[in-house]
Amino acid sequence: MGSYDLTKEVSDQYSLRGKVFHKIRSDILNGRYKEHEELKEIRIGKEMGVSRTPVREALRQLELEGLVQIIPNRGAFVTGIQKNDVRDIYAIRALLEGLCARWATERITPEQLEAMEENVYLSEFHAGKGHMEQIAELDDQFHHILYAACGSKMLEHQLIDYHQYVTRIRRKTLSTIERSTVSNKEHRAIMEAIRAGNADLAERLASKHMTSAYENMVRNGLDDIYKETE
C-alpha cells in the first residue's frame, strides 16, 4: 500500500477552496450576481460540482472582503462594490500604483519593458481602429505588466485585487474612444518615464493616471451604473 500523503490532501483542499472563492468573487465583480441577491450554497455547489463545505468557506472569506454579508438563519447576500468603495479604491490605488511605478523603474526587466512598449503600441493601433474589446484587454495587460515589474509579490497581489474589484465599472467607463485615447497616452507617459529611469516622474504619472480614471468615471457614468442596481 502507498503511504498516506496528508500534505497533498491539505493542498488539494485549499486549491478547491481557492477555486470556489475566486469563481464566486469573479461572478460578483462581473455583475452576474446582483447586489442583495442571495448566494445559495446548494445551487453554487451543484453548478461547480463541489460540496457545500468549500462554498461555505468561500462565502465566509468573501464576507471578510466586504463583498458578501452573512445573516444568521437567513443566508449569504451580495454586498458587492458600492459607489463609495469605488472612490476609496481609486484613492488607495493612486498611492499604491505610484509606488509600484517607482519600484518598477528600479526593477523592471528588459523583457517586461519590451512587453510594456508592445502593449502601448498595440493599444494605440486598436484605438485608431475603434476596437474597444481589444483596448479593454490591453488596458488590463498594461497594469498587470506594471504590477509584475515592481518586483514585490505583496504589492502585486494587492494591486491585482483592487484592479479586479472595479473591472465591470472600468470596462463600462473606458468604452469610448476619447477616454481610451487619453488612457493610452497616460500609459505611454508612464512607460517612457520608466524607460528613462525617472522614478519620481513615473510615480507621479501613475498616481495621476488613477486620479484621472476616477474623475472620468464620475463624469461618464458612475452614477448611472449604480442606478442600475437600485
Side-chain angles (χ1 to χ4, degrees):
M1 293 179 62
S3 61
Y4 179 72
D5 191 343
L6 177 61
T7 302
K8 183 178 186 302
E9 179 179 329
V10 171
S11 176
D12 289 346
Q13 286 177 350
Y14 276 99
S15 176
L16 178 61
R17 183 188 308 172
K19 177 183 176 182
V20 174
F21 165 76
H22 286 292
K23 177 65 168 64
I24 298 173
R25 184 170 73 164
S26 177
D27 286 342
I28 292 173
L29 296 177
N30 289 333
R32 181 189 173 196
Y33 295 127
K34 306 302 182 184
E35 187 179 352
H36 308 307
E37 182 175 348
E38 183 178 2
L39 299 170
K40 297 183 178 180
E41 294 175 6
I42 295 177
R43 184 186 67 192
I44 295 172
K46 286 182 178 179
E47 288 178 356
M48 297 193 67
V50 300
S51 68
R52 295 177 64 178
T53 299
V55 176
R56 186 178 304 115
E57 291 170 345
L59 293 176
R60 287 172 181 162
Q61 190 172 351
L62 287 163
E63 185 178 36
L64 294 176
E65 288 203 3
L67 296 177
V68 168
Q69 181 183 17
I70 298 176
I71 302 175
N73 301 319
R74 286 191 56 194
F77 298 86
V78 175
T79 302
I81 299 295
Q82 308 301 308
K83 187 163 66 172
N84 286 345
D85 296 329
V86 176
R87 177 200 63 201
D88 294 347
I89 286 168
Y90 272 88
I92 295 168
R93 284 185 73 191
L95 297 173
L96 294 184
E97 297 238 1
L99 177 62
C100 180
R102 169 173 288 280
W103 285 353
T105 304
E106 302 165 357
R107 304 170 181 175
I108 194 167
T109 67
E111 292 78 16
Q112 288 168 334
L113 182 57
E114 183 179 352
M116 187 177 286
E117 291 173 342
E118 182 179 3
N119 177 280
V120 170
Y121 296 144
L122 285 173
S123 296
E124 291 170 346
F125 170 79
H126 286 294
K129 300 291 185 180
H131 299 161
M132 301 312 301
E133 184 175 344
Q134 287 88 342
I135 290 170
E137 291 175 359
L138 287 163
D139 180 82
D140 285 341
Q141 290 174 15
F142 178 88
H143 287 277
H144 284 288
I145 294 167
L146 180 63
Y147 301 161
C150 80
S152 167
K153 291 181 180 179
M154 299 300 293
L155 182 56
E156 180 181 4
H157 176 76
Q158 194 67 61
L159 282 169
I160 288 172
D161 277 350
Y162 281 128
H163 193 71
Q164 290 176 341
Y165 287 158
V166 290
T167 295
R168 181 173 64 94
I169 300 164
R170 281 191 312 100
R171 293 212 167 201
K172 284 198 174 186
T173 56
L174 186 68
S175 59
T176 64
I177 289 296
E178 291 77 13
R179 175 55 199 165
S180 62
T181 300
V182 171
S183 182
N184 290 343
K185 288 180 178 178
E186 292 170 354
H187 285 179
R188 171 172 282 282
I190 294 166
M191 180 267 291
E192 289 178 347
I194 291 173
R195 183 170 58 189
N198 192 333
D200 289 340
L201 179 59
E203 181 174 14
R204 288 198 301 272
L205 291 172
S207 180
K208 187 175 183 295
H209 178 54
M210 289 297 100
T211 302
S212 298
Y214 178 71
E215 289 173 350
N216 174 72
M217 286 183 176
V218 172
R219 288 193 303 268
N220 297 291
L222 185 61
D223 287 336
D224 292 338
I225 290 171
Y226 280 94
K227 283 178 183 176
E228 293 174 6
T229 64
E230 292 177 353

